Amino acid sequence: MSTKEKLIAALKESRGNWISGELLSERLAVSRAAVSKQVKRLKDEGYAIESAPRKGYLFTEESDLLLPEEIRQGLESKVFGRNEIAYHGELDSTNTLAKELATKGAPEGTVVIAEGQSRGRGRKRRSWFSHEGGGIFVSMILRPDVPLTDAPKFTLLTAVALAETLIAHAGVDVVIKWPNDILCKGRKLAGILTEMSMEMDAVDHMVVGLGINVNIEEDVFPGELSEIATSLYMETGTKLSRVELLRRFLERFEKFYFLMEEEGFDPVIRRWRELTDVLGREVTVDLINKRITGKVVDIDENGILIVEDDRGEGHRIFSGDISYSGRKE
Ligand code: BTN
């Protein structure tokens, strides 16, 4: 444990009661000046700590800021969230910063978190509503040793890990809409943005970003989103710990990531099939230069969607936007 972690633990242990600088300095085996400096840093980061002469320090309330030390506490992953967690109150986009860090050589498992984003990005140059404090906006750096053709698998893997996390820890009923949407009762609850950098015909690194609508109240969504978006709070009526949710997601994501490394894509796509509502649906697919209407007949072993059009012709859809045009069979 670092001095900072020890200090957080000591303050939390005496939550609601004053603890003197002298006692803290003894417990942490550092000078009182060092204690005071660390406390100031914690306050700047957002921890609710009061200080008073002769009384010492008082840790008042548990915050739900996505602070690195909070996430690491009780985190059972080995790589994701174990390397650097770059935490910011506000960023333009966590994916943008993660890409910069990855280009400079940041290792696999590096995580970038922001409480709010001024230019949160979605797929197809859309923006992502990034209300400060209400959502989770996080990006992870991946360095898989795979050919370019394998890249789409990581979006599907992330969707599986995210859907499972939301079902298990938030108790909501969600489905995956190919390729990157997590829906609850037809409304968007979370999205995934995967960006890749390549070297020759292999992946150099990937940045996987996710946005989850957690504690957002209904009237906070802007007009155009209020009909199509939802949040965990809107679905459950309970404010959830974002720290806990992110911790559990990182663990589950890592489990699937290593499983795919060891056993290939099969176990992932098998689980994906169970979690999606896209198979058998009538859909409209918007590609760059054409639109296909038909039925989703399958997803292949590489995560490519197979759509059969009205004339019975099969189309392999690598990427694109789909909308449901009929009921599920
Ligand atoms: C989508 O549904 O189109 C994908 C949305 C992804 C949003 C997340 S929020 C964290 C990360 N940073 C971004 O700018 N985008 C992703």
Side-chain angles (χ1 to χ4, degrees), residues 14-311:
S14 58
R15 180 182 298 121
N17 297 304
W18 290 91
I19 179 166
S20 72
E22 196 178 346
L23 192 58
L24 283 172
S25 93
E26 264 170 38
R27 284 231 210 139
L28 273 58
V30 294
S31 67
R32 286 181 63 174
V35 169
S36 136
K37 208 163 136 191
Q38 279 288 359
V39 169
K40 182 174 178 318
R41 275 203 201 132
L42 292 181
K43 281 188 185 177
D44 290 345
E45 280 178 21
Y47 282 91
I49 304 167
E50 280 177 41
S51 34
R54 285 184 296 280
K55 283 176 157 178
Y57 304 100
L58 174 69
F59 178 69
T60 40
E61 61 185 87
E62 200 75 69
S63 85
D64 191 33
L65 294 175
L66 296 166
L67 296 161
E69 277 74 20
E70 299 298 309
I71 291 162
R72 286 206 189 96
Q73 225 172 62
L75 177 70
E76 287 178 7
S77 64
K78 294 200 167 56
V79 177
F80 289 88
R82 288 283 157 209
N83 286 318
E84 189 197 351
I85 298 182
Y87 171 80
H88 293 262
E90 170 142 333
L91 278 177
D92 53 352
S93 152
T94 55
N95 263 41
T96 305
L97 178 59
K99 285 202 291 184
E100 278 169 31
L101 295 175
T103 310
K104 288 184 194 149
E108 173 154 281
T110 301
V111 170
V112 178
I113 298 171
E115 295 292 342
Q117 298 182 116
S118 55
R119 302 182 70 178
R121 294 185 282 117
R123 282 175 74 243
K124 309 274 172 198
R125 294 172 181 266
R126 293 188 196 111
S127 61
W128 181 259
F129 178 65
S130 307
H131 184 63
E132 186 170 338
I136 293 179
F137 316 112
V138 59
S139 302
M140 305 174 293
I141 296 177
L142 280 49
R143 294 189 177 276
D145 190 8
V146 295
L148 282 188
T149 46
D150 276 4
K153 295 177 181 174
F154 292 88
T155 301
L156 303 192
L157 179 152
T158 308
V160 167
L162 184 51
E164 279 199 355
T165 307
L166 295 172
I167 294 167
H169 297 285
V172 284
D173 208 4
V174 298
V175 290
I176 303 172
K177 181 176 170 219
W178 186 89
N180 70 323
D181 290 350
I182 305 289
L183 307 182
C184 184
K185 298 188 196 130
R187 288 175 176 228
K188 187 140 166 175
L189 185 59
I192 299 159
L193 178 66
T194 308
E195 298 182 285
M196 179 188 61
S197 160
M198 52 193 183
E199 200 163 80
M200 305 290 279
D201 54 357
V203 170
D204 177 62
H205 64 257
M206 292 173 88
V207 166
V208 177
L210 28 136
I212 314 172
N213 300 329
V214 187
N215 295 327
I216 303 179
E217 296 183 23
E218 193 164 1
D219 56 2
V220 172
F221 282 116
E224 71 278 12
L225 290 183
S226 58
E227 299 282 299
I228 53 171
T230 188
S231 71
L232 291 174
Y233 176 67
M234 283 163 64
E235 296 302 326
T236 62
T238 317
K239 298 248 165 133
L240 284 158
S241 157
R242 294 179 308 145
V243 169
E244 177 72 9
L245 200 65
L246 180 53
R247 226 187 254 143
R248 300 287 91 94
F249 166 77
L250 291 170
E251 290 165 356
R252 217 170 265 260
F253 173 83
E254 180 172 294
K255 183 191 95 181
F256 278 107
Y257 188 69
F258 290 139
L259 182 71
M260 184 154 96
E261 199 171 74
E262 279 160 30
E263 295 179 25
F265 193 45
D266 270 11
V268 176
I269 196 70
R270 223 179 294 133
R271 189 70 185 115
W272 192 91
R273 282 167 170 278
E274 291 168 356
L275 290 165
T276 190
D277 73 339
V278 81
L279 299 172
R281 291 294 284 258
E282 295 290 338
V283 294
T284 302
V285 189
D286 281 315
L287 301 172
I288 294 167
N289 48 8
K290 63 175 172 180
R291 169 175 276 200
I292 298 167
T293 310
K295 182 173 164 179
V296 179
V297 288
D298 204 1
I299 182 151
D300 78 4
E301 68 286 357
N302 292 313
I304 293 158
L305 210 62
I306 317 287
V307 175
E308 201 174 272
D309 69 19
D310 304 339
R311 287 171 302 156

